[in-house]
Amino acid sequence: MKPLQVIIVFLLLIGSICQKTAKAQVYRVSKIPVLIKAAKKDRKQKIERMAALKFHKLLNAYRMKNKLNLLMWDESLWLACVNHDIWMNANGELSHGEKSSSKYFTGVEPGDRYDYVTSGKGNYDWSGENALYNYDKEGKTVSEISSNIAKAALEQWKDSPGHNENMLGKRHTAHGVAFYLGKGGRVYGTDLFVSNKDNKYIRNANDQLAMLK
């Protein structure tokens, strides 16, 4: 192989490695536009993002049925959930608390993880967190898979009294939920609920979902 060919192959390998490792990381709010843009092109990220936004609609329908206020969608909470899902997948652990010495650690408690995402500039009162894992990612298309993930998560949390209580919490005003297609076929999910929100990262979930279609 000629020297020039060796250099080109080396650069391609480095590029491939960088591309793979770029996804294996945790994020701060400055990366939200980048992640939203990536979800339009990357199939896995599109499924994860679409499932989260569809779950948001299902949750609000569930709350409406129970005569409760509708929740606003918050991108910073979504990102804190993304980070925690990445942590759970990497460490093979379903937990509300992260260990400080573990891979992809962003904070022990939900509030700590939100401070990581916002660099300590957020302003919320915490009112609940749900977490899960399952294997419900059936379907052939992005739309089918994301819908099945969202529906399965809602039913799974409804069947758990504590998690269901969180979904129907009267104090909640906003939330963010994220799902992660993990290793071994697992789907990890985290949902964070808050009251007394800071509106900086509130977005229209319907608009966000339409951008993915």
Side-chain angles (χ1 to χ4, degrees):
M1 188 178 291
K2 297 179 181 179
L4 181 58
Q5 291 176 314
V6 172
I7 292 172
I8 291 172
V9 170
F10 176 76
L11 290 174
L12 288 172
L13 286 171
I14 291 297
S16 176
I17 292 169
C18 290
Q19 186 177 20
K20 290 179 181 178
T21 56
K23 293 182 181 179
Q25 60 181 304
V26 289
Y27 306 95
R28 298 184 191 270
V29 289
S30 61
K31 294 296 183 181
I32 289 175
V34 175
L35 292 173
I36 292 175
K37 185 177 180 180
K40 297 178 183 179
K41 300 178 180 179
D42 183 273
R43 188 173 188 271
K44 176 178 178 291
Q45 293 181 65
K46 180 178 283 191
I47 291 171
E48 292 167 349
R49 173 84 171 166
M50 193 175 284
L53 293 166
K54 287 182 177 180
F55 178 89
H56 170 76
K57 294 181 68 174
L58 292 176
L59 175 59
N60 270 340
Y62 182 45
R63 288 178 65 86
M64 184 183 296
K65 184 178 179 180
N66 285 273
K67 297 179 171 51
L68 294 167
N69 63 297
L70 302 185
L71 302 182
M72 289 179 283
W73 174 261
D74 187 287
E75 298 287 20
S76 61
L77 296 173
W78 166 73
L79 190 59
C81 291
V82 168
N83 285 344
H84 189 53
D85 289 345
I86 290 171
W87 179 88
M88 290 194 292
N89 176 68
N91 293 279
E93 183 175 351
L94 176 64
S95 175
H96 292 290
E98 296 183 6
K99 298 178 178 65
S100 59
S101 59
S102 57
K103 194 173 184 180
Y104 303 126
F105 171 79
T106 57
V108 176
E109 302 295 334
D112 302 326
R113 300 194 288 272
Y114 181 71
D115 285 340
Y116 175 89
V117 164
T118 62
S119 299
K121 297 178 181 178
N123 182 23
Y124 285 91
D125 289 334
W126 289 103
S127 53
E129 180 189 58
N130 284 352
L132 63 73
Y133 81 78
N134 57 41
Y135 297 89
D136 294 306
K137 58 176 185 179
E138 300 300 321
K140 296 181 180 179
T141 67
V142 167
S143 182
E144 287 178 355
I145 297 169
S146 59
S147 292
N148 288 335
I149 289 172
K151 291 173 184 176
L154 184 74
E155 293 305 315
Q156 185 171 337
W157 278 328
K158 281 171 69 174
D159 289 340
S160 170
H163 294 101
N164 187 57
E165 184 178 348
N166 269 343
M167 291 197 296
L168 298 178
K170 294 181 179 179
R171 291 182 55 232
H172 308 331
T173 57
H175 86 125
V177 63
F179 298 100
Y180 186 87
L181 306 184
K183 54 191 178 184
R186 285 188 179 185
V187 178
Y188 286 93
T190 307
D191 197 353
L192 293 176
F193 304 91
V194 300
S195 60
N196 298 328
K197 66 193 179 309
D198 178 345
N199 286 324
K200 187 174 182 181
Y201 299 104
I202 296 295
R203 299 290 183 270
N204 185 303
N206 288 331
D207 291 345
Q208 294 298 316
L209 186 57
M211 289 168 58
L212 295 173
K213 295 179 178 178

